[in-house]
Amino acid sequence: MAYKLFIPGPIAVSDKTLQAMAHPMIGHRSTDFVALYQSLQPGLQALFGTQDPVYLSTSSAWGSMEGAIRNVVKAKVLNCMNGAFSDKWNDVSLRCGKQATALKFEWGKPIDPDAVRAELAKGGYDAITIIHNETSCGCMSDLPALMAVLREFPEVISIIDTVSSFSAMPIAKDALGVDIIITGSQKALALPPGLSLLSVSKRALARAATVGERGYYFDLVEFQKNHENGMTPSTPVIPLIYALRSKLEDIQAEGLEARYARHSRLNGTVRAWGYAKGFKLFPAEAYGSVTLNCFANNLGYDLSALNKVLKSKHHLVIDGGYGKLKGKTFRISNMGDETDATIAELISALDSALAETPKAAS
Ligand SMILES: *Cc1c(COP(=O)(O)O)cnc(C)c1O
């Protein structure tokens, strides 16, 4: 039975997008592909706020996240950690054989710019990883404040994960001075999973050119070389690229400002609903994400029972908490194509399901 996803990725995909994927196949070295690839660049550059190319990687976001580490870290990377994804990036850096330092913050607390400055000032770093919007706990760090600190350390290449905030709010890569910005298809872009998008500054590319053992599949120099011919290094996931074209049309029709305002408004609607029910936000309130709400389960509901009712009676699912927060928090996405009407339906389903959900025994 079909049900709708309100988890923070993957999220619901529109029929228009699904139909776009059914386009007859083309060769990835054909002029048709080059035209398709090149037609996407202006829309993508506007979304990323950049003049640099936007590369399309056939992988989940982690492919690009790992690839960025392998491409630019020669000396030592600082991994800023405040949730499950950013914690894992430290593990990934170590697995790539890199020198990596963990700069840890409590889950739900933002990355503190002063702590970043103090650590970088110790010296020896040539790269940093930051997750803008920690999806695991719904915490959004202050990217402009963090980038202002990074401008004091020109030798440090910034690798910024905007996987769950991209296209839902303005993030101006060039104005902020971001070197490598990464997102994925299955979050706010509301495409199926399998495509990662990234944009890379010239100085990050120059760094990559000096790094050995970058491998092939995620080699940024290969991406750039192929980009110059309107192509990707290897055969890309062409159906998703057609879906991306369709989505960029949607985004252009809505307008960027309207899109950002819609995400912010719907996020506020869900947050107000949670507060009215008596739930607290899990992350520091001023740093709540704009694309999801991570509520503390302070009322002690049995969240798996809640999701069973939501799924069987209302044909939708929310998230019952990520990793160590399972059962302790629940997350509701407002990414993608949601509207006032669909969020109103969600809230009425949540009200009805909560009314018949037991409180957990604990
Ligand atoms: C979903 C997510 C990822 C991982 O994306 P994959 O596509 O599963 O590789 C990384 N970072 C953030 C912030 C995410 O929300």
Side-chain angles (χ1 to χ4, degrees), residues 220-234:
L220 297 177
V221 179
E222 284 287 344
F223 272 100
Q224 175 59 26
K225 247 195 313 195
N226 280 273
H227 169 85
E228 287 165 16
N229 296 318
M231 295 181 204
T232 54
S234 52

Side-chain angles (χ1 to χ4, degrees), residues 8 60-63 65 85 131 133-135 161 163-164 184 186-187:
S60 85
W62 271 116
M65 292 161 74
F85 291 103
I131 291 192
N133 190 52
E134 237 309 344
T135 320
D161 165 326
V163 175
S164 62
Q186 80 277 25
K187 304 281 167 88

Side-chain angles (χ1 to χ4, degrees), residues 258-271:
R259 178 179 174 82
Y260 299 148
R262 177 171 58 82
H263 278 87
S264 163
R265 183 176 74 251
L266 300 181
N267 183 263
T269 306
V270 176
R271 192 167 306 174

Side-chain angles (χ1 to χ4, degrees), residues 7 84 107 135-137 282 294-297 300-305 307-308 318-331 360 362:
I7 62 173
W107 281 32
T135 320
S136 61
C137 47
F282 177 79
C294 180
F295 291 108
N297 185 19
Y301 281 99
D302 179 339
L303 296 178
S304 70
N307 244 338
K308 270 192 198 123
I318 62 169
D319 173 87
Y322 193 102
K324 69 184 184 189
L325 296 178
K326 192 171 163 62
K328 299 194 174 99
T329 62
F330 59 101
R331 299 179 302 160
S362 78

Side-chain angles (χ1 to χ4, degrees), residues 60-83:
S60 85
W62 271 116
S64 300
M65 292 161 74
E66 173 170 331
I69 296 287
R70 297 179 63 187
N71 271 266
V72 303
V73 181
K74 286 171 93 167
K76 187 163 65 159
V77 60
L78 182 62
N79 299 124
C80 302
M81 297 152 68
N82 64 339

Side-chain angles (χ1 to χ4, degrees), residues 47-50 169-178 181:
L47 277 174
F48 276 106
T50 190
M169 61 184 288
I171 303 170
K173 169 177 166 285
D174 292 355
L176 292 172
V178 173
I181 187 166

